[in-house]
Amino acid sequence: MKSLSEPKSYRIKSFGCQMNVYDGERMAELLGAQGMSAAPEGEDADLVVLNTCHIREKAAEKVYSDIGRLRRDDGSAPLIAVAGCVAQAEGEEIMARSPDVRMVVGPQAYHRLPAMIEKARAGERVTDTDMPANAKFGVLPTRTKRAPSAFLTVQEGCDKFCTYCVVPYTRGAEISRPFADLVEEAQKLVDAGAREITLLGQNVNAWDGEDDKGRAIGLDGLIRALAAMPDLKRIRYTTSHPNDMSDALIAAHGEVGKLMPYLHLPVQSGNNRVLQAMNRSHSAESYIALIERFRAARPDIAISGDFIVGFPGETDAEFEDTLKMVDTIRYAAAFSFKYSPRPGTPAATMADQIAKEVMDERLQRLQAALQRDSLSFNQASVGRTCEVLVERKGRKPGQWLGKTPWLQSAWFEGDAAIGDLVQVELLAAGPNSLEARVV
């Protein structure tokens, strides 16, 4: 390959979870520190980073499709890097199938992008999928994100080894970032304009560490420390695992005013045999009991979850148990997916794979029930007075959009600015948003 000129502009396209959004932001800050700027929308970039996710169906094939679309009309292509979980899982395959790709970098190694870019410019094709625990955070530049809501990764990796999931193989073992580093990064985000911080982790409630006095603390202790920052107004966290939920974290929902009344707690199935086959460590009964404890601590809490339909061997009766779970919990929001095999996971080789048409029918029924409950939750919110964190302008002059404490989208008209916390009354509800007025 011939050598390339120094890239001046970049574009990062992030797929999938919020941790990928966070990683994309950190890569942008890293490239910015190297003197590059984000390419304006509609203009070609010198460097394109595809920050991939391996959770969704046919994730790898979508990456190859995106790579093909990057080739320009004159036959040239930008400097292309594939990052994220697909890069970690299929790095050699990507290099073999896509000659235009100059760099493949895993989610724990993207702090080495500048050195990789120099090698790629010199004609090398570079792969880095090492997993050094926490190393990237020590060399990434200062946070510069200026937005009312920001993500902060506190924990990475997973030791649970659910039989359908690639995360332990692509993100590595569970690690917790040090308390002092997190407090420092949170303060920098607040100084840059963040009023809300969402703490991120594959199993975020598995975070543990020592506070500034050397005392062992869990996620609840970190939340309480961040809540002491005067200009930080809201705290959230995601994604949790039922097995790592502590009494202290449950209590924090009733005791820490800045911790928003919202909990995302995946269950995946309402049937115990299926949960056992998934290697989930909870039962349907223990999950329901856990939700009841959260509701006792914070009665107005909004519950969100994840579901997989059509897991290998799932019978009609077992799927009905999932519908019963939905009827019991009444989720304010939820994500639901058809099972799709991931190479290298135990479930991919299990017998009794479910036919596509059966999964389609089950997913439609599940989503109808979830949408029913989401609308019902929004409708029950009508008449409430609450604060909305303004995130952006609406389509009409004087219109603003933001989030309620329950993570609902709400819009109103009036005088406001991005980052304001505006007191509103919720007037009307649809399935996806609420209308409000300033009070």
Side-chain angles (χ1 to χ4, degrees):
M1 282 187 177
K2 66 179 182 180
S3 61
L4 298 174
S5 59
E6 183 179 358
K8 300 295 185 183
S9 63
Y10 68 85
R11 176 168 291 113
I12 297 173
K13 184 176 182 181
S14 292
F15 305 81
C17 70
Q18 290 142 319
M19 290 190 73
N20 261 23
V21 174
Y22 173 89
D23 287 345
E25 291 173 354
R26 299 312 313 266
M27 281 188 273
E29 292 165 350
L30 184 66
L31 297 175
Q34 302 298 310
M36 288 181 244
S37 57
E41 198 63 37
E43 294 186 15
D44 288 337
D46 300 327
L47 167 68
V48 175
V49 180
L50 300 175
N51 188 25
T52 62
C53 175
H54 210 300
I55 298 299
R56 304 295 179 253
E57 188 175 6
K58 298 180 180 177
E61 293 306 317
K62 292 175 182 176
V63 172
Y64 295 120
S65 177
D66 271 0
I67 292 168
R69 284 195 291 267
L70 291 173
R71 185 162 283 277
R72 302 170 181 136
D73 292 339
D74 63 3
S76 66
L79 192 63
I80 300 174
V82 178
C85 290
V86 174
Q88 186 71 38
E90 305 189 27
E92 293 182 5
E93 178 71 10
I94 291 169
M95 283 296 201
R97 285 184 57 175
S98 301
D100 285 338
V101 175
R102 298 286 187 103
M103 294 165 283
V104 171
V105 59
Q108 306 294 19
Y110 63 73
H111 59 293
R112 296 198 277 255
L113 258 178
M116 296 177 71
I117 291 170
E118 288 306 305
K119 292 179 179 180
R121 285 183 58 214
E124 293 186 45
R125 302 183 74 208
V126 194
T127 298
D128 190 341
T129 52
D130 286 348
M131 289 190 177
N134 274 327
K136 66 185 179 188
F137 297 107
V139 298
L140 289 170
T142 297
R143 299 306 309 270
T144 58
K145 181 179 175 66
R146 296 182 180 275
S149 185
F151 293 132
L152 173 56
T153 291
V154 304
Q155 179 272 343
E156 288 193 296
C158 184
D159 298 337
K160 302 299 187 288
F161 288 92
C162 298
T163 56
Y164 53 82
C165 185
V166 297
V167 166
Y169 313 102
T170 59
R171 289 274 183 172
E174 290 180 2
I175 58 169
S176 296
R177 292 182 62 193
F179 171 84
D181 293 356
L182 296 172
V183 172
E184 180 183 8
E185 186 172 334
Q187 187 62 62
K188 289 175 179 176
L189 287 168
V190 172
D191 291 344
R195 294 295 170 261
E196 174 182 276
I197 290 178
T198 299
L199 309 178
L200 300 180
Q202 264 82 36
N203 293 312
V204 67
N205 53 330
W207 183 89
D208 60 14
E210 292 184 350
D211 67 12
D212 53 6
K213 296 182 179 178
R215 297 173 297 194
I217 59 170
L219 186 65
D220 62 289
L222 176 61
I223 288 169
R224 292 176 189 275
L226 298 185
M229 295 180 178
D231 291 332
L232 178 60
K233 304 302 182 183
R234 292 179 166 189
I235 301 170
R236 303 183 188 273
Y237 63 91
T238 194
T239 292
S240 305
H241 193 288
N243 196 49
D244 294 321
M245 215 44 96
S246 68
D247 293 345
L249 184 56
I250 295 171
H253 276 270
E255 296 169 358
V256 181
K258 292 183 179 181
L259 180 57
M260 292 295 95
Y262 185 92
L263 173 68
H264 183 70
L265 190 62
V267 62
Q268 307 301 359
S269 172
N271 176 266
N272 288 338
R273 190 205 66 79
V274 173
L275 289 170
Q276 187 175 19
M278 289 177 167
N279 198 34
R280 299 289 287 177
S281 54
H282 58 87
S283 66
E285 293 78 14
S286 68
Y287 178 88
I288 291 170
L290 195 55
I291 297 299
E292 289 174 348
R293 292 181 63 198
F294 273 98
R295 284 177 165 157
R298 184 70 192 257
D300 66 334
I301 195 166
I303 304 297
S304 173
D306 288 350
F307 292 90
I308 295 172
V309 303
F311 187 80
E314 182 188 62
T315 66
D316 289 341
E318 289 168 342
F319 170 68
E320 291 294 334
D321 285 342
T322 295
L323 293 180
K324 292 175 185 175
M325 170 73 75
V326 170
D327 288 344
T328 298
I329 300 297
R330 298 287 178 174
Y331 290 90
F335 301 95
S336 54
F337 310 95
K338 294 179 288 187
Y339 169 76
S340 58
R342 292 291 174 267
T345 59
T349 57
M350 287 181 178
D352 299 323
Q353 298 284 325
I354 306 299
K356 180 180 181 298
E357 58 271 18
V358 174
M359 287 197 284
D360 288 342
E361 188 269 341
R362 289 178 184 172
L363 185 63
Q364 289 176 16
R365 291 178 62 196
L366 175 60
Q367 290 183 340
L370 293 171
Q371 289 166 5
R372 171 203 68 198
D373 291 345
S374 179
L375 177 60
S376 177
F377 183 86
N378 284 351
Q379 289 172 334
S381 301
V382 172
R384 274 178 168 167
T385 299
C386 67
E387 285 186 329
V388 168
L389 177 60
V390 180
E391 295 180 338
R392 59 188 175 91
K393 292 182 178 180
R395 295 179 182 177
K396 301 176 181 178
Q399 188 181 72
W400 301 92
L401 290 89
K403 292 291 193 299
T404 73
W406 305 278
L407 207 60
Q408 302 153 303
S409 293
W411 63 269
F412 64 89
E413 295 179 352
D415 293 329
I418 293 172
D420 285 352
L421 281 161
V422 178
Q423 192 82 1
V424 302
E425 180 186 2
L426 303 176
L427 300 178
N432 301 311
S433 65
L434 295 108
E435 177 185 354
R437 69 174 181 88
V438 178
V439 296

